[in-house]
mmCIF file of all heavy atoms in Angstrom:
data_model
loop_
_atom_site.group_PDB
_atom_site.id
_atom_site.type_symbol
_atom_site.label_atom_id
_atom_site.label_comp_id
_atom_site.label_asym_id
_atom_site.label_seq_id
_atom_site.Cartn_x
_atom_site.Cartn_y
_atom_site.Cartn_z
ATOM 1 N N PRO A 29 125.103 81.931 81.055
ATOM 2 C CA PRO A 29 124.072 81.528 80.087
ATOM 3 C C PRO A 29 124.105 80.014 79.853
ATOM 4 O O PRO A 29 125.189 79.439 79.700
ATOM 5 C CB PRO A 29 124.497 82.262 78.799
ATOM 6 C CG PRO A 29 125.952 82.561 78.953
ATOM 7 C CD PRO A 29 126.293 82.530 80.414
ATOM 8 N N THR A 30 122.939 79.397 79.829
ATOM 9 C CA THR A 30 122.870 77.942 79.595
ATOM 10 C C THR A 30 121.653 77.609 78.731
ATOM 11 O O THR A 30 120.768 78.441 78.533
ATOM 12 C CB THR A 30 122.715 77.131 80.904
ATOM 13 O OG1 THR A 30 121.325 77.156 81.302
ATOM 14 C CG2 THR A 30 123.577 77.678 82.029
ATOM 15 N N MET A 31 121.628 76.345 78.300
ATOM 16 C CA MET A 31 120.439 75.827 77.618
ATOM 17 C C MET A 31 119.695 74.835 78.517
ATOM 18 O O MET A 31 118.875 74.043 78.039
ATOM 19 C CB MET A 31 120.829 75.162 76.298
ATOM 20 C CG MET A 31 121.471 76.153 75.328
ATOM 21 S SD MET A 31 121.282 75.683 73.613
ATOM 22 C CE MET A 31 122.166 74.135 73.611
ATOM 23 N N GLY A 32 120.001 74.857 79.818
ATOM 24 C CA GLY A 32 119.267 74.001 80.751
ATOM 25 C C GLY A 32 119.756 72.566 80.726
ATOM 26 O O GLY A 32 120.848 72.278 80.255
ATOM 27 N N HIS A 35 123.709 70.251 84.901
ATOM 28 C CA HIS A 35 124.505 69.241 85.598
ATOM 29 C C HIS A 35 125.606 69.962 86.367
ATOM 30 O O HIS A 35 125.659 71.208 86.360
ATOM 31 C CB HIS A 35 125.059 68.219 84.594
ATOM 32 C CG HIS A 35 125.741 68.842 83.419
ATOM 33 N ND1 HIS A 35 126.883 69.609 83.535
ATOM 34 C CD2 HIS A 35 125.419 68.858 82.093
ATOM 35 C CE1 HIS A 35 127.265 70.030 82.349
ATOM 36 N NE2 HIS A 35 126.385 69.613 81.443
ATOM 37 N N GLY A 37 128.586 70.539 85.740
ATOM 38 C CA GLY A 37 129.393 71.451 84.927
ATOM 39 C C GLY A 37 128.791 72.850 84.936
ATOM 40 O O GLY A 37 129.491 73.850 85.156
ATOM 41 N N HIS A 38 127.472 72.932 84.718
ATOM 42 C CA HIS A 38 126.797 74.232 84.770
ATOM 43 C C HIS A 38 126.860 74.811 86.189
ATOM 44 O O HIS A 38 127.126 75.999 86.379
ATOM 45 C CB HIS A 38 125.316 74.097 84.406
ATOM 46 C CG HIS A 38 125.045 73.574 83.028
ATOM 47 N ND1 HIS A 38 124.518 72.320 82.799
ATOM 48 C CD2 HIS A 38 125.216 74.134 81.805
ATOM 49 C CE1 HIS A 38 124.366 72.142 81.497
ATOM 50 N NE2 HIS A 38 124.783 73.225 80.863
ATOM 51 N N LEU A 41 129.915 76.621 87.230
ATOM 52 C CA LEU A 41 129.997 78.007 86.735
ATOM 53 C C LEU A 41 129.193 78.941 87.648
ATOM 54 O O LEU A 41 129.636 80.043 87.991
ATOM 55 C CB LEU A 41 129.449 78.133 85.306
ATOM 56 C CG LEU A 41 129.987 77.247 84.184
ATOM 57 C CD1 LEU A 41 129.452 77.710 82.840
ATOM 58 C CD2 LEU A 41 131.487 77.259 84.145
ATOM 59 N N TYR A 72 116.279 67.891 72.442
ATOM 60 C CA TYR A 72 117.128 68.454 73.485
ATOM 61 C C TYR A 72 116.379 68.367 74.825
ATOM 62 O O TYR A 72 115.213 68.764 74.912
ATOM 63 C CB TYR A 72 117.487 69.918 73.172
ATOM 64 C CG TYR A 72 118.736 70.338 73.910
ATOM 65 C CD1 TYR A 72 119.984 70.017 73.413
ATOM 66 C CD2 TYR A 72 118.656 70.995 75.132
ATOM 67 C CE1 TYR A 72 121.139 70.363 74.111
ATOM 68 C CE2 TYR A 72 119.796 71.340 75.830
ATOM 69 C CZ TYR A 72 121.028 71.017 75.309
ATOM 70 O OH TYR A 72 122.169 71.340 75.997
ATOM 71 N N LEU A 149 131.996 80.954 81.298
ATOM 72 C CA LEU A 149 131.801 79.960 80.236
ATOM 73 C C LEU A 149 132.647 78.734 80.550
ATOM 74 O O LEU A 149 133.661 78.834 81.256
ATOM 75 C CB LEU A 149 132.235 80.532 78.884
ATOM 76 C CG LEU A 149 131.529 81.791 78.398
ATOM 77 C CD1 LEU A 149 132.184 82.313 77.128
ATOM 78 C CD2 LEU A 149 130.036 81.536 78.155
ATOM 79 N N GLY A 150 132.267 77.589 79.980
ATOM 80 C CA GLY A 150 132.990 76.353 80.240
ATOM 81 C C GLY A 150 134.048 76.077 79.176
ATOM 82 O O GLY A 150 133.809 76.296 77.986
ATOM 83 N N LYS A 152 134.811 73.316 78.229
ATOM 84 C CA LYS A 152 134.357 72.174 77.427
ATOM 85 C C LYS A 152 134.024 72.605 75.991
ATOM 86 O O LYS A 152 134.274 71.882 75.044
ATOM 87 C CB LYS A 152 133.139 71.526 78.063
ATOM 88 C CG LYS A 152 132.853 70.202 77.416
ATOM 89 C CD LYS A 152 131.552 69.668 77.861
ATOM 90 C CE LYS A 152 130.688 69.372 76.766
ATOM 91 N NZ LYS A 152 129.806 70.008 76.056
ATOM 92 N N ASP A 153 133.463 73.813 75.864
ATOM 93 C CA ASP A 153 133.129 74.321 74.529
ATOM 94 C C ASP A 153 134.165 75.390 74.160
ATOM 95 O O ASP A 153 133.851 76.579 74.065
ATOM 96 C CB ASP A 153 131.712 74.879 74.540
ATOM 97 C CG ASP A 153 130.710 73.811 74.950
ATOM 98 O OD1 ASP A 153 130.411 72.947 74.118
ATOM 99 O OD2 ASP A 153 130.277 73.803 76.109
ATOM 100 N N GLN A 156 133.613 77.766 71.287
ATOM 101 C CA GLN A 156 132.562 78.719 71.633
ATOM 102 C C GLN A 156 133.132 79.873 72.473
ATOM 103 O O GLN A 156 132.745 81.033 72.299
ATOM 104 C CB GLN A 156 131.463 77.990 72.408
ATOM 105 C CG GLN A 156 130.381 78.874 72.950
ATOM 106 C CD GLN A 156 129.212 78.064 73.455
ATOM 107 O OE1 GLN A 156 128.379 77.603 72.686
ATOM 108 N NE2 GLN A 156 129.130 77.876 74.758
ATOM 109 N N PRO A 177 137.167 75.354 84.198
ATOM 110 C CA PRO A 177 137.599 74.027 83.744
ATOM 111 C C PRO A 177 136.424 73.073 83.511
ATOM 112 O O PRO A 177 135.371 73.204 84.138
ATOM 113 C CB PRO A 177 138.472 73.514 84.898
ATOM 114 C CG PRO A 177 138.398 74.520 85.986
ATOM 115 C CD PRO A 177 137.695 75.731 85.496
ATOM 116 N N THR A 178 136.640 72.132 82.639
ATOM 117 C CA THR A 178 135.605 71.132 82.314
ATOM 118 C C THR A 178 135.385 70.198 83.502
ATOM 119 O O THR A 178 136.342 69.650 84.050
ATOM 120 C CB THR A 178 136.064 70.301 81.097
ATOM 121 O OG1 THR A 178 136.316 71.206 80.025
ATOM 122 C CG2 THR A 178 135.015 69.286 80.691
ATOM 123 N N VAL A 179 134.123 70.029 83.874
ATOM 124 C CA VAL A 179 133.780 69.093 84.950
ATOM 125 C C VAL A 179 133.496 67.732 84.314
ATOM 126 O O VAL A 179 132.809 67.641 83.287
ATOM 127 C CB VAL A 179 132.554 69.602 85.746
ATOM 128 C CG1 VAL A 179 132.157 68.602 86.822
ATOM 129 C CG2 VAL A 179 132.864 70.961 86.363
ATOM 130 N N ALA A 186 133.496 64.165 79.928
ATOM 131 C CA ALA A 186 133.047 65.542 80.169
ATOM 132 C C ALA A 186 131.529 65.544 80.333
ATOM 133 O O ALA A 186 130.812 64.989 79.486
ATOM 134 C CB ALA A 186 133.455 66.430 78.994
ATOM 135 N N LEU A 187 131.034 66.151 81.409
ATOM 136 C CA LEU A 187 129.580 66.210 81.610
ATOM 137 C C LEU A 187 128.960 67.024 80.483
ATOM 138 O O LEU A 187 129.512 68.040 80.063
ATOM 139 C CB LEU A 187 129.247 66.849 82.959
ATOM 140 C CG LEU A 187 129.749 66.139 84.211
ATOM 141 C CD1 LEU A 187 129.162 66.799 85.455
ATOM 142 C CD2 LEU A 187 129.403 64.650 84.203
HETATM 143 P P1 LIG B 1 125.071 74.604 77.490
HETATM 144 O O1 LIG B 1 123.886 74.513 78.392
HETATM 145 O O2 LIG B 1 125.520 73.287 76.949
HETATM 146 O O3 LIG B 1 124.901 75.666 76.433
HETATM 147 O O4 LIG B 1 126.285 75.091 78.395
HETATM 148 C C1 LIG B 1 126.213 76.282 79.148
HETATM 149 C C2 LIG B 1 127.578 76.593 79.685
HETATM 150 O O5 LIG B 1 128.032 75.521 80.507
HETATM 151 C C3 LIG B 1 128.637 76.736 78.558
HETATM 152 O O6 LIG B 1 129.516 77.804 78.898
HETATM 153 C C4 LIG B 1 129.335 75.402 78.596
HETATM 154 O O7 LIG B 1 130.661 75.441 78.118
HETATM 155 C C5 LIG B 1 129.312 75.100 80.088
HETATM 156 N N1 LIG B 1 129.491 73.666 80.334
HETATM 157 C C6 LIG B 1 128.797 72.645 79.773
HETATM 158 N N2 LIG B 1 129.281 71.461 80.197
HETATM 159 C C7 LIG B 1 130.320 71.735 81.032
HETATM 160 C C8 LIG B 1 131.238 70.951 81.768
HETATM 161 N N3 LIG B 1 131.199 69.609 81.750
HETATM 162 N N4 LIG B 1 132.173 71.574 82.517
HETATM 163 C C9 LIG B 1 132.235 72.943 82.552
HETATM 164 N N5 LIG B 1 131.386 73.740 81.877
HETATM 165 C C10 LIG B 1 130.444 73.161 81.118
#
Side-chain angles (χ1 to χ4, degrees):
T30 81
M31 298 206 298
H35 50 63
H38 299 110
L41 306 189
Y72 202 82
L149 301 173
K152 192 190 125 272
D153 301 284
Q156 174 169 281
T178 303
V179 177
L187 298 188

